[in-house]
Each structure stands twice: as C-alpha cells, then as structure tokens.
Amino acid sequence: MHEIKLGFIPLVDCALLAIAKEKGFAEENGIQLSLHKEVSWANIRDKIYLGYLDGAQMLAGMPIAANLGLMPNSCEIVAPFVLGRNGNAITVSRSLFAEMQKSNDTILEELDLKKTGAALKAVIDQRKIEGKTILRFGMVFPFSCHNYHLRYWMSSCGIEPDIDVHLEVIPPPFMDQYLEEGRIDGFCVGEPWNSLAVEQDVGVIIATTKQVWAYSPEKMLGLRKQWVDTYPEALNALMKTLHQCVNWAMQSSNIDELSKLLSSHTYIDVPAEIIKRALTGDIKLKNAQDSTQIENFLMLNANKPEQAAAKWLFDQMVRWKQAENIDIHPDALKNAFATQVYSEHLPSIQYDIEIDYSLFDGKIIKGA
Amino acid sequence: METDLKILLIDENETRSAILFEGLRGSGLNCVEWLKDTRNLSERIFALDPDVILIDLENPNRDVLEQMFQISREVKRPIAMFVDQSDSQSITQAIDAGVSAYIVDGLKSERVKSIIDTTISRFNAFSNLHKELAEAKSALIERKEVDKAKGILMKQRNIGEAEAYALLRKAAMNKGQKISDIASSIVTASELMG
C-alpha cells in the first residue's frame, strides 16, 4: 500500500479528493489515502514544506509562487493534475447591487462581464462625486485566480484595482458575515460560499469567473517535488485514481451522492442542496429567483495542466507586481503545471473538450 | 530597548492566551497585545505596528497575514515567518505546538528565538492541561457508569458492592475489555430492558 497524505480546504472543488477516499478508488489502486482538512492556504503550504503532507489541493497560483520563491516556507512543487476549473463567482451586497442597477437593470439577465463592469464603474464614479467611501472587495489569497480574475475584469472595465477599490484577503467562511455586516461590498470566492450568501439573502451573484476565461484552472493537486521523485509508483497510482474519480463525478446520476458526501462535517459542512448548485451549474443568482443554468460553472474534468495557463498566471503576478519579470528558471513553470507528468502517467486520456483560450475582452492567452 | 518589542498575539482561546501572556511578561516583555476578535485584522495590525505576530494555526486569518507580504503599503515593513527560514526545526516545533509566527525583518534572531521558545512551551503546556482536563472528565464519567452498573447488579442479584465490582472485573478480564466498557453495556442493557 502507498501511504499518501493530502491536505484540502472545505470547498466544492475538493470533490475529486473526497471521491478518491470515500468511493474506494484510492484503495483499489493500492493507496492508503489520508485527507487532512486545513483552515488556511498558509497552513497547507507550511505543512507541505515541513513534510507533514505529501501534497494538497492548491490554488493554481500557489505551485508557481512556490517554485519562484515568492512565498515563505516553500519547497519545489509539482502539480500534475487540475482538480477543478472555474467554480468561483463574484457576489455583491444587496445595496451595491441596487446601486449598480441604476445604470443597468438587466445585469443578471444578460450576465455580460463588460456590462456588469460598466455598471460597477458607474457606481464607483458616482461615489467619488458624492465623496463616499471606497468600495471593498474580499478575495481569498494573494496568489489566487480570485485575485487575478477580479483585477483583470476590473481593469478591463476602466477600474484601477489598486486605486478605485480596496481588495483584501478574507477567509472564505467569513465572507458572508463580512458582507452582511457591511465590512465589504462584495467578494470573489469559490462555492458554496456564494450560494450561501444568496440563500441567506445577504448578497447577489453578479458574475462567475468563468466569464473571464471559460477554462481557467482553479485548483491543482500540488505535490512536493521530493515526494514525486522518490515515489513514482505511488504517483502513478494516484494519477490513475484521480482519473477514475473524474469519470465517477462526470456521471450525472452521481451528483446527488457527491453533494451529500461533500456536505458532511468531514468535508464542507454545508447543506447538500447548496453544494449541488455548483456541481450542476444550476446557480441561483439572487434570493427568491429562479436559478440560471451556467454551462461549465465548475469543471471537474479537463485535468491536464497546460503551460499557457501557467504563463498567463505568471503574467498576472508580474502585472500586479508580485513577481519581477526577470528570466525565470524554465523548470519553474514546467513543474508548477506539470503537463509532461500528466501525459506520462495518463498517456491514453483524450478528452473531448476543446479548450478555448480567449478572454472576455477579446484577448487570447499567449502560447496556447 | 529590546524589551520594548511589540508582540501581537492572535488567538481565539482565552485560556491559552492568558498562559502565553504570563509567560512573555515573565521574560520581561511588556508590550503584548492580544486580539481575540480578528475583524479588520489588516487595519488593526497597521495601527499596532507589531514587531512579532503570533497566531494559532487553527485561525484562518493566517491567509490575511499572508497578504501583507504582498502589499507593503499596508504595513510599514515586510514581515516573514521566522527569521531564518533554514531553521526548519523550530518551525516544526511551532507547528506541532499549533502556532505560527510572523516577524519583522531585521530583528535579532536570538531575541526572536526566545520569544518563539516561550510561545512553543506555553502552547504545549496549554494542550497538556487541556488533555489532562479531558482525561479527568472522562475518568469521572467512567466512574459514574461503574457506580451505576454496580447498583444494577447489586439490586438484580441481591449481592454486596464488593461482589458486584468483582463480577464486573471478572467480565472485563474474560472479554478483554475495560471495566468501564462492561459497565456501560450493563447500563445500556438495563435501560433497554426497562
């Protein structure tokens, strides 16, 4: 048996890890999998650095930041499997939503990022004239797609993310409470926290981040490079396991069971009905309204990491001054998004999804 | 001058905070601030401008602190976890104890080391205390169960207390179980039988 210790954060995109453990796929492949629920990304990083964990669910920016030495307590990370693409949303308080509606009252019907951005900009401009306080948005970690997507969207719509709004890190379970108490005006977070805000009628989902780029890798399986080099057989078993989990998760008849599994205290501890929304893409944008079907809201398939995505994330780090655009070691991004490792271990996997690299503003992700 | 070091402790546990507080005071550190409520953490850290931040590992606000590595305009000086990153042994000890530390760059490492050591030993002292309390509590519950089971046996079999206890002990030995386990099955069975 290969003993593997992996960390996760209670979010819907920990699904594949939960399936591996609970549906017996890990065991079938000779893996004794122990999953460790962590409260912060910093804990995950530190415990991997110290060898308490072999790997973990990671924000897509984390393996890159680790390999470039942008975070403390980092060791080299190999991330060979995308655990989820998309799955985040942008939620605003009911009062900010009402302000946005003044310039556009069909935001939710259209779900057009440019128009939503224009409505937000109109509010920001108006507040400046009236001398009102700067709008505050919560996101989850500096090296997260939440941070980059919010910034990309805002700046494309003429909003300066470092000047016109205040972006701050808030742990996902606190987002709803902060929004309700008026400490923030909106946030970008993964599920189930957006749907929970809608359910409690403290917020309105105005956008999903898949609108920025429809195939954005959101969470990766990040492993210590040292572990990957030492245990190639365990890695192979783990890759096969995860692929089987994807096949299981893709069967729509399993969605109810998966929602229920994730709703338990061991994983997310939020009612299954709310978790199910992200898994079906049947998203309720506003309380007491019919839900909207959003295609590929959260993708648990299309798991091969691609270099173009790693490069795009690195470009965002440079753009927002987290990293310097100096010559980086070529292996840093190759390990961070380990396309080759995926292909070596799962050579025969062909998925029928054609990944489109165009962003919402018409630009195309380079190197795709 | 070094006793003027400002230390910020972020911990929701009041008892543990009090234990650490006392320990740091004992080593001559008088500027210790304790934050239980972590709302608006960034602003409050900016206002306090601490040299050392200690935070319990189960606090999700660690990710809020991480942002400060990125946005130097929020705090005057960048902070990093531990002075010397190669000192992974003390990081390991800290993680085992359940605490993480953030330190302003440029602090003398011996001074910081003593703060970290105090923190680790106090966190460990707290968890030992916690364990002892839990054990004492469960011992008390077990004793109550044994007393109840003895009472049931004495009544049903019309025997004395010593004999009832001997029966329990014999059953426990035969089945390779704890006396308290046998006792609770007797209590449960008796409740079911009415």
Side-chain angles (χ1 to χ4, degrees):
Chain A
M1 283 296 250
H2 309 289
E3 277 179 46
I4 305 180
K5 290 171 289 195
L6 300 177
F8 73 96
I9 296 271
L11 287 162
V12 177
D13 50 22
C14 75
L16 295 179
L17 299 182
I19 296 166
K21 167 107 183 148
E22 305 295 337
K23 296 304 296 171
F25 293 114
E27 213 178 331
E28 277 171 32
N29 285 290
I31 297 172
Q32 196 182 330
L33 180 63
S34 58
L35 294 181
H36 302 260
K37 187 164 158 176
E38 299 293 339
V39 295
S40 68
W41 296 108
N43 275 10
I44 282 196
R45 181 203 58 212
D46 291 351
K47 288 185 181 177
I48 288 178
Y49 169 69
L50 294 169
Y52 283 46
L53 296 172
D54 302 314
Q57 169 201 26
M58 282 186 181
L59 293 159
M62 283 172 74
I64 300 171
N67 290 356
L68 294 175
L70 303 178
M71 300 189 292
N73 296 345
S74 297
C75 55
E76 269 192 276
I77 299 292
V78 174
F81 202 95
V82 179
L83 293 175
R85 290 178 191 256
N86 309 327
N88 299 332
I90 301 170
T91 297
V92 298
S93 67
R94 288 197 316 179
S95 63
L96 176 54
F97 182 68
E99 283 184 68
M100 289 172 74
Q101 276 186 309
K102 284 180 194 159
S103 64
N104 181 349
D105 61 4
T106 55
I107 295 169
L108 299 189
E109 289 75 15
E110 292 183 275
L111 272 190
D112 178 328
L113 264 193
K114 282 181 202 161
K115 290 182 183 171
T116 311
L120 181 63
K121 175 143 175 45
V123 172
I124 289 170
D125 291 344
Q126 183 60 32
R127 289 175 74 100
K128 272 185 196 159
I129 294 167
E130 291 172 13
K132 284 188 180 164
T133 52
I134 193 167
L135 290 177
R136 305 169 71 108
F137 283 84
M139 48 90 179
V140 303
F141 200 65
F143 302 103
S144 67
C145 289
H146 313 66
N147 188 19
Y148 306 136
H149 287 157
L150 267 180
R151 284 169 178 271
Y152 194 93
W153 168 56
M154 286 179 174
S155 52
S156 300
C157 297
I159 301 166
E160 273 290 339
D162 283 320
I163 297 167
D164 296 331
V165 291
H166 183 82
L167 296 182
E168 61 182 298
V169 169
I170 296 169
F174 298 165
M175 292 280 190
D176 293 1
Q177 189 196 341
Y178 272 51
L179 194 65
E180 190 171 12
E181 294 171 354
R183 293 173 184 272
I184 46 173
D185 303 286
F187 55 69
C188 180
V189 75
E191 283 289 90
W193 309 106
N194 298 283
S195 290
L196 207 59
V198 168
E199 195 58 28
Q200 294 168 342
D201 205 15
V202 299
V204 180
I205 297 176
I206 56 163
T208 64
T209 54
K210 68 150 279 197
Q211 293 171 258
V212 177
W213 173 28
Y215 298 92
S216 181
E218 166 58 32
K219 299 292 178 342
M220 314 282 294
L221 170 73
L223 300 159
R224 287 168 68 98
K225 184 169 185 298
Q226 202 190 357
W227 184 88
V228 167
D229 293 342
T230 319
Y231 303 103
E233 284 171 16
L235 174 65
N236 188 262
L238 183 59
M239 297 291 284
K240 283 185 178 151
T241 301
L242 287 174
H243 182 66
Q244 287 168 357
C245 295
V246 172
N247 288 340
W248 188 86
M250 283 299 109
Q251 285 172 36
S252 53
S253 54
N254 289 331
I255 285 180
D256 279 328
E257 187 181 345
L258 179 55
S259 311
K260 211 170 150 195
L261 194 162
L262 291 174
S263 76
S264 77
H265 178 69
T266 317
Y267 297 99
I268 307 177
D269 211 5
V270 159
E273 184 269 323
I274 295 184
I275 288 169
K276 194 178 167 183
R277 295 181 194 178
L279 295 171
T280 54
D282 216 12
I283 307 292
K284 204 183 263 191
L285 301 172
K286 192 168 180 290
N287 191 272
Q289 261 192 13
D290 288 341
S291 53
T292 305
Q293 179 60 41
I294 294 170
E295 197 194 350
N296 292 342
F297 174 80
L298 166 65
M299 297 172 74
L300 296 174
N301 54 349
N303 315 93
K304 190 199 276 187
E306 66 274 66
Q307 288 302 298
K311 183 66 173 59
W312 187 77
L313 287 168
F314 174 66
D315 288 344
Q316 307 311 302
M317 292 176 187
V318 173
R319 180 177 181 184
W320 303 113
K321 300 191 169 49
Q322 291 180 328
E324 279 178 67
N325 195 11
I326 42 171
D327 287 338
I328 54 168
H329 195 279
D331 285 345
L333 294 187
K334 270 188 198 156
N335 282 335
F337 273 52
T339 319
Q340 266 185 328
V341 177
Y342 181 97
S343 303
E344 273 164 34
H345 292 278
L346 297 170
S348 58
I349 306 303
Q350 296 282 336
Y351 36 79
D352 45 12
I353 302 153
E354 179 95 15
I355 292 186
D356 180 351
Y357 288 92
S358 48
L359 296 154
F360 85 101
D361 59 357
K363 293 194 174 114
I364 309 283
I365 289 176
K366 280 181 284 179
Chain B
M1 177 229 144
E2 284 191 342
T3 47
D4 291 341
L5 278 184
K6 276 189 277 180
I7 299 172
L8 173 64
L9 168 65
I10 304 165
D11 190 355
E12 286 183 357
N13 191 305
E14 291 183 29
T15 316
R16 186 168 55 196
S17 303
I19 292 174
L20 177 59
F21 208 82
E22 188 200 343
L24 291 171
R25 280 275 169 89
S27 36
L29 293 153
N30 294 313
C31 281
V32 186
E33 289 266 1
W34 170 49
L35 271 189
K36 185 190 178 203
D37 172 13
T38 47
R39 282 188 272 196
N40 296 339
L41 188 62
S42 311
E43 286 91 332
R44 292 172 76 177
I45 289 176
F46 181 71
L48 291 168
D49 194 25
D51 302 293
V52 178
I53 301 172
L54 302 166
I55 181 167
D56 79 287
L57 276 188
E58 292 316 307
N59 196 322
N61 278 294
R62 275 200 70 198
D63 284 345
V64 178
L65 293 174
E66 296 288 314
Q67 189 180 24
M68 292 175 190
F69 294 117
Q70 306 300 318
I71 310 172
S72 45
R73 69 188 169 123
E74 291 238 352
V75 279
K76 276 186 232 153
R77 297 157 293 183
I79 49 180
M81 186 177 176
F82 297 100
V83 181
D84 181 4
Q85 262 205 58
S86 62
D87 186 9
S88 67
Q89 197 197 342
S90 67
I91 304 182
T92 307
Q93 284 169 352
I95 300 264
D96 284 341
V99 65
S100 171
Y102 292 82
I103 288 128
V104 166
D105 264 354
L107 273 188
K108 272 194 190 163
S109 62
E110 324 79 82
R111 193 67 191 123
V112 172
K113 179 107 177 51
S114 83
I115 295 172
I116 302 295
D117 287 347
T118 305
T119 307
I120 291 170
S121 74
R122 293 281 156 156
F123 262 64
N124 283 334
F126 169 78
S127 72
N128 288 340
L129 186 74
H130 200 72
K131 223 169 95 190
E132 279 167 23
L133 276 175
E135 278 168 8
K137 214 169 157 187
S138 85
L140 194 70
I141 293 169
E142 281 176 12
R143 206 176 318 138
K144 276 188 183 161
E145 285 289 275
V146 173
D147 283 345
K148 262 195 213 166
K150 275 195 294 190
I152 294 165
L153 289 176
M154 284 157 73
K155 203 172 154 196
Q156 294 226 336
R157 296 199 159 206
N158 204 12
I159 50 177
E161 189 180 342
E163 222 175 322
Y165 188 75
L167 270 179
L168 279 175
R169 194 177 49 207
K170 199 175 157 205
M173 277 167 67
N174 287 345
K175 301 208 162 185
Q177 286 181 330
K178 279 162 63 180
I179 290 181
S180 58
D181 292 339
I182 299 289
S184 54
S185 17
I186 290 174
V187 173
T188 313
S190 150
E191 276 166 6
L192 287 174
M193 307 289 195

PDB file of all heavy atoms in Angstrom, chain A residues 253-273:
ATOM      1  N   SER A 253     -25.807  10.859 -12.669  1.00  0.00           N
ATOM      2  CA  SER A 253     -26.549  10.097 -11.663  1.00  0.00           C
ATOM      3  C   SER A 253     -25.832  10.091 -10.307  1.00  0.00           C
ATOM      4  O   SER A 253     -26.407   9.721  -9.293  1.00  0.00           O
ATOM      5  CB  SER A 253     -26.752   8.657 -12.147  1.00  0.00           C
ATOM      6  OG  SER A 253     -25.500   8.098 -12.485  1.00  0.00           O
ATOM      7  N   ASN A 254     -24.566  10.512 -10.291  1.00  0.00           N
ATOM      8  CA  ASN A 254     -23.826  10.513  -9.031  1.00  0.00           C
ATOM      9  C   ASN A 254     -23.820  11.863  -8.313  1.00  0.00           C
ATOM     10  O   ASN A 254     -23.250  11.988  -7.228  1.00  0.00           O
ATOM     11  CB  ASN A 254     -22.365  10.087  -9.277  1.00  0.00           C
ATOM     12  CG  ASN A 254     -22.275   8.607  -9.627  1.00  0.00           C
ATOM     13  OD1 ASN A 254     -23.116   7.820  -9.196  1.00  0.00           O
ATOM     14  ND2 ASN A 254     -21.282   8.243 -10.410  1.00  0.00           N
ATOM     15  N   ILE A 255     -24.429  12.872  -8.937  1.00  0.00           N
ATOM     16  CA  ILE A 255     -24.337  14.226  -8.366  1.00  0.00           C
ATOM     17  C   ILE A 255     -24.979  14.325  -6.985  1.00  0.00           C
ATOM     18  O   ILE A 255     -24.417  14.953  -6.084  1.00  0.00           O
ATOM     19  CB  ILE A 255     -24.936  15.265  -9.344  1.00  0.00           C
ATOM     20  CG1 ILE A 255     -23.934  15.480 -10.495  1.00  0.00           C
ATOM     21  CG2 ILE A 255     -25.202  16.607  -8.647  1.00  0.00           C
ATOM     22  CD1 ILE A 255     -24.359  16.472 -11.531  1.00  0.00           C
ATOM     23  N   ASP A 256     -26.123  13.674  -6.808  1.00  0.00           N
ATOM     24  CA  ASP A 256     -26.784  13.745  -5.501  1.00  0.00           C
ATOM     25  C   ASP A 256     -25.908  13.122  -4.409  1.00  0.00           C
ATOM     26  O   ASP A 256     -25.766  13.672  -3.323  1.00  0.00           O
ATOM     27  CB  ASP A 256     -28.143  13.034  -5.540  1.00  0.00           C
ATOM     28  CG  ASP A 256     -29.209  13.933  -6.158  1.00  0.00           C
ATOM     29  OD1 ASP A 256     -29.109  15.168  -5.976  1.00  0.00           O
ATOM     30  OD2 ASP A 256     -30.123  13.405  -6.819  1.00  0.00           O
ATOM     31  N   GLU A 257     -25.344  11.974  -4.761  1.00  0.00           N
ATOM     32  CA  GLU A 257     -24.494  11.289  -3.790  1.00  0.00           C
ATOM     33  C   GLU A 257     -23.261  12.130  -3.452  1.00  0.00           C
ATOM     34  O   GLU A 257     -22.868  12.248  -2.296  1.00  0.00           O
ATOM     35  CB  GLU A 257     -24.063   9.915  -4.344  1.00  0.00           C
ATOM     36  CG  GLU A 257     -23.317   9.101  -3.300  1.00  0.00           C
ATOM     37  CD  GLU A 257     -22.847   7.740  -3.832  1.00  0.00           C
ATOM     38  OE1 GLU A 257     -23.326   7.313  -4.902  1.00  0.00           O
ATOM     39  OE2 GLU A 257     -21.997   7.141  -3.160  1.00  0.00           O
ATOM     40  N   LEU A 258     -22.687  12.752  -4.491  1.00  0.00           N
ATOM     41  CA  LEU A 258     -21.499  13.588  -4.282  1.00  0.00           C
ATOM     42  C   LEU A 258     -21.835  14.808  -3.420  1.00  0.00           C
ATOM     43  O   LEU A 258     -21.077  15.164  -2.509  1.00  0.00           O
ATOM     44  CB  LEU A 258     -20.921  14.015  -5.642  1.00  0.00           C
ATOM     45  CG  LEU A 258     -19.687  14.919  -5.619  1.00  0.00           C
ATOM     46  CD1 LEU A 258     -18.553  14.322  -4.801  1.00  0.00           C
ATOM     47  CD2 LEU A 258     -19.193  15.199  -7.045  1.00  0.00           C
ATOM     48  N   SER A 259     -22.987  15.429  -3.698  1.00  0.00           N
ATOM     49  CA  SER A 259     -23.396  16.595  -2.909  1.00  0.00           C
ATOM     50  C   SER A 259     -23.521  16.225  -1.441  1.00  0.00           C
ATOM     51  O   SER A 259     -23.096  16.956  -0.552  1.00  0.00           O
ATOM     52  CB  SER A 259     -24.751  17.141  -3.376  1.00  0.00           C
ATOM     53  OG  SER A 259     -24.772  17.296  -4.759  1.00  0.00           O
ATOM     54  N   LYS A 260     -24.109  15.051  -1.221  1.00  0.00           N
ATOM     55  CA  LYS A 260     -24.340  14.602   0.149  1.00  0.00           C
ATOM     56  C   LYS A 260     -23.014  14.303   0.846  1.00  0.00           C
ATOM     57  O   LYS A 260     -22.800  14.689   1.999  1.00  0.00           O
ATOM     58  CB  LYS A 260     -25.216  13.349   0.114  1.00  0.00           C
ATOM     59  CG  LYS A 260     -26.110  13.224   1.321  1.00  0.00           C
ATOM     60  CD  LYS A 260     -27.120  12.131   1.123  1.00  0.00           C
ATOM     61  CE  LYS A 260     -27.485  11.516   2.459  1.00  0.00           C
ATOM     62  NZ  LYS A 260     -28.181  10.240   2.286  1.00  0.00           N
ATOM     63  N   LEU A 261     -22.146  13.642   0.100  1.00  0.00           N
ATOM     64  CA  LEU A 261     -20.823  13.288   0.643  1.00  0.00           C
ATOM     65  C   LEU A 261     -20.066  14.552   1.071  1.00  0.00           C
ATOM     66  O   LEU A 261     -19.517  14.631   2.168  1.00  0.00           O
ATOM     67  CB  LEU A 261     -20.071  12.547  -0.462  1.00  0.00           C
ATOM     68  CG  LEU A 261     -18.813  11.753  -0.237  1.00  0.00           C
ATOM     69  CD1 LEU A 261     -18.625  10.823  -1.429  1.00  0.00           C
ATOM     70  CD2 LEU A 261     -17.604  12.608  -0.068  1.00  0.00           C
ATOM     71  N   LEU A 262     -20.079  15.560   0.197  1.00  0.00           N
ATOM     72  CA  LEU A 262     -19.335  16.793   0.488  1.00  0.00           C
ATOM     73  C   LEU A 262     -19.980  17.610   1.598  1.00  0.00           C
ATOM     74  O   LEU A 262     -19.320  18.421   2.246  1.00  0.00           O
ATOM     75  CB  LEU A 262     -19.218  17.655  -0.773  1.00  0.00           C
ATOM     76  CG  LEU A 262     -18.330  17.097  -1.883  1.00  0.00           C
ATOM     77  CD1 LEU A 262     -18.416  17.974  -3.132  1.00  0.00           C
ATOM     78  CD2 LEU A 262     -16.878  17.001  -1.426  1.00  0.00           C
ATOM     79  N   SER A 263     -21.276  17.395   1.816  1.00  0.00           N
ATOM     80  CA  SER A 263     -21.977  18.198   2.820  1.00  0.00           C
ATOM     81  C   SER A 263     -21.648  17.747   4.247  1.00  0.00           C
ATOM     82  O   SER A 263     -21.953  18.453   5.198  1.00  0.00           O
ATOM     83  CB  SER A 263     -23.487  18.137   2.596  1.00  0.00           C
ATOM     84  OG  SER A 263     -23.978  16.890   3.038  1.00  0.00           O
ATOM     85  N   SER A 264     -20.993  16.596   4.378  1.00  0.00           N
ATOM     86  CA  SER A 264     -20.737  16.085   5.724  1.00  0.00           C
ATOM     87  C   SER A 264     -19.712  16.946   6.448  1.00  0.00           C
ATOM     88  O   SER A 264     -18.974  17.721   5.841  1.00  0.00           O
ATOM     89  CB  SER A 264     -20.232  14.645   5.650  1.00  0.00           C
ATOM     90  OG  SER A 264     -18.879  14.645   5.252  1.00  0.00           O
ATOM     91  N   HIS A 265     -19.673  16.777   7.743  1.00  0.00           N
ATOM     92  CA  HIS A 265     -18.772  17.549   8.597  1.00  0.00           C
ATOM     93  C   HIS A 265     -17.310  17.321   8.217  1.00  0.00           C
ATOM     94  O   HIS A 265     -16.484  18.230   8.314  1.00  0.00           O
ATOM     95  CB  HIS A 265     -19.021  17.165  10.058  1.00  0.00           C
ATOM     96  CG  HIS A 265     -18.108  17.862  10.999  1.00  0.00           C
ATOM     97  ND1 HIS A 265     -18.200  19.209  11.238  1.00  0.00           N
ATOM     98  CD2 HIS A 265     -17.060  17.404  11.725  1.00  0.00           C
ATOM     99  CE1 HIS A 265     -17.245  19.551  12.091  1.00  0.00           C
ATOM    100  NE2 HIS A 265     -16.543  18.492  12.399  1.00  0.00           N
ATOM    101  N   THR A 266     -17.010  16.113   7.743  1.00  0.00           N
ATOM    102  CA  THR A 266     -15.632  15.798   7.353  1.00  0.00           C
ATOM    103  C   THR A 266     -15.156  16.715   6.227  1.00  0.00           C
ATOM    104  O   THR A 266     -13.982  17.041   6.138  1.00  0.00           O
ATOM    105  CB  THR A 266     -15.563  14.345   6.830  1.00  0.00           C
ATOM    106  OG1 THR A 266     -16.347  13.532   7.698  1.00  0.00           O
ATOM    107  CG2 THR A 266     -14.150  13.837   6.761  1.00  0.00           C
ATOM    108  N   TYR A 267     -16.064  17.110   5.362  1.00  0.00           N
ATOM    109  CA  TYR A 267     -15.666  17.932   4.219  1.00  0.00           C
ATOM    110  C   TYR A 267     -16.146  19.379   4.372  1.00  0.00           C
ATOM    111  O   TYR A 267     -15.493  20.165   5.039  1.00  0.00           O
ATOM    112  CB  TYR A 267     -16.105  17.270   2.909  1.00  0.00           C
ATOM    113  CG  TYR A 267     -15.391  15.932   2.739  1.00  0.00           C
ATOM    114  CD1 TYR A 267     -16.007  14.726   3.056  1.00  0.00           C
ATOM    115  CD2 TYR A 267     -14.063  15.904   2.354  1.00  0.00           C
ATOM    116  CE1 TYR A 267     -15.317  13.527   2.972  1.00  0.00           C
ATOM    117  CE2 TYR A 267     -13.361  14.707   2.270  1.00  0.00           C
ATOM    118  CZ  TYR A 267     -13.995  13.519   2.578  1.00  0.00           C
ATOM    119  OH  TYR A 267     -13.298  12.345   2.504  1.00  0.00           O
ATOM    120  N   ILE A 268     -17.297  19.740   3.814  1.00  0.00           N
ATOM    121  CA  ILE A 268     -17.635  21.168   3.769  1.00  0.00           C
ATOM    122  C   ILE A 268     -18.574  21.611   4.887  1.00  0.00           C
ATOM    123  O   ILE A 268     -18.547  22.753   5.320  1.00  0.00           O
ATOM    124  CB  ILE A 268     -18.220  21.527   2.381  1.00  0.00           C
ATOM    125  CG1 ILE A 268     -17.252  21.046   1.281  1.00  0.00           C
ATOM    126  CG2 ILE A 268     -18.424  23.023   2.247  1.00  0.00           C
ATOM    127  CD1 ILE A 268     -17.733  21.268  -0.122  1.00  0.00           C
ATOM    128  N   ASP A 269     -19.430  20.720   5.341  1.00  0.00           N
ATOM    129  CA  ASP A 269     -20.345  21.036   6.434  1.00  0.00           C
ATOM    130  C   ASP A 269     -21.354  22.131   6.077  1.00  0.00           C
ATOM    131  O   ASP A 269     -21.590  23.053   6.856  1.00  0.00           O
ATOM    132  CB  ASP A 269     -19.526  21.450   7.686  1.00  0.00           C
ATOM    133  CG  ASP A 269     -20.248  21.072   8.970  1.00  0.00           C
ATOM    134  OD1 ASP A 269     -21.303  20.416   8.878  1.00  0.00           O
ATOM    135  OD2 ASP A 269     -19.761  21.435  10.061  1.00  0.00           O
ATOM    136  N   VAL A 270     -21.888  22.041   4.876  1.00  0.00           N
ATOM    137  CA  VAL A 270     -22.917  22.967   4.397  1.00  0.00           C
ATOM    138  C   VAL A 270     -23.979  22.074   3.739  1.00  0.00           C
ATOM    139  O   VAL A 270     -23.632  21.032   3.184  1.00  0.00           O
ATOM    140  CB  VAL A 270     -22.295  23.970   3.371  1.00  0.00           C
ATOM    141  CG1 VAL A 270     -23.327  24.609   2.477  1.00  0.00           C
ATOM    142  CG2 VAL A 270     -21.459  25.033   4.087  1.00  0.00           C
ATOM    143  N   PRO A 271     -25.283  22.433   3.804  1.00  0.00           N
ATOM    144  CA  PRO A 271     -26.316  21.548   3.271  1.00  0.00           C
ATOM    145  C   PRO A 271     -26.079  21.101   1.812  1.00  0.00           C
ATOM    146  O   PRO A 271     -25.627  21.900   0.981  1.00  0.00           O
ATOM    147  CB  PRO A 271     -27.591  22.380   3.369  1.00  0.00           C
ATOM    148  CG  PRO A 271     -27.320  23.344   4.472  1.00  0.00           C
ATOM    149  CD  PRO A 271     -25.847  23.613   4.445  1.00  0.00           C
ATOM    150  N   ALA A 272     -26.401  19.831   1.549  1.00  0.00           N
ATOM    151  CA  ALA A 272     -26.164  19.236   0.225  1.00  0.00           C
ATOM    152  C   ALA A 272     -26.851  20.021  -0.891  1.00  0.00           C
ATOM    153  O   ALA A 272     -26.315  20.181  -1.986  1.00  0.00           O
ATOM    154  CB  ALA A 272     -26.634  17.784   0.223  1.00  0.00           C
ATOM    155  N   GLU A 273     -28.018  20.548  -0.589  1.00  0.00           N
ATOM    156  CA  GLU A 273     -28.802  21.254  -1.610  1.00  0.00           C
ATOM    157  C   GLU A 273     -28.008  22.456  -2.150  1.00  0.00           C
ATOM    158  O   GLU A 273     -28.066  22.782  -3.339  1.00  0.00           O
ATOM    159  CB  GLU A 273     -30.139  21.691  -0.970  1.00  0.00           C
ATOM    160  CG  GLU A 273     -31.122  22.363  -1.896  1.00  0.00           C
ATOM    161  CD  GLU A 273     -30.953  23.878  -1.931  1.00  0.00           C
ATOM    162  OE1 GLU A 273     -30.650  24.488  -0.878  1.00  0.00           O
ATOM    163  OE2 GLU A 273     -31.100  24.443  -3.026  1.00  0.00           O
TER     164      GLU A 273
END
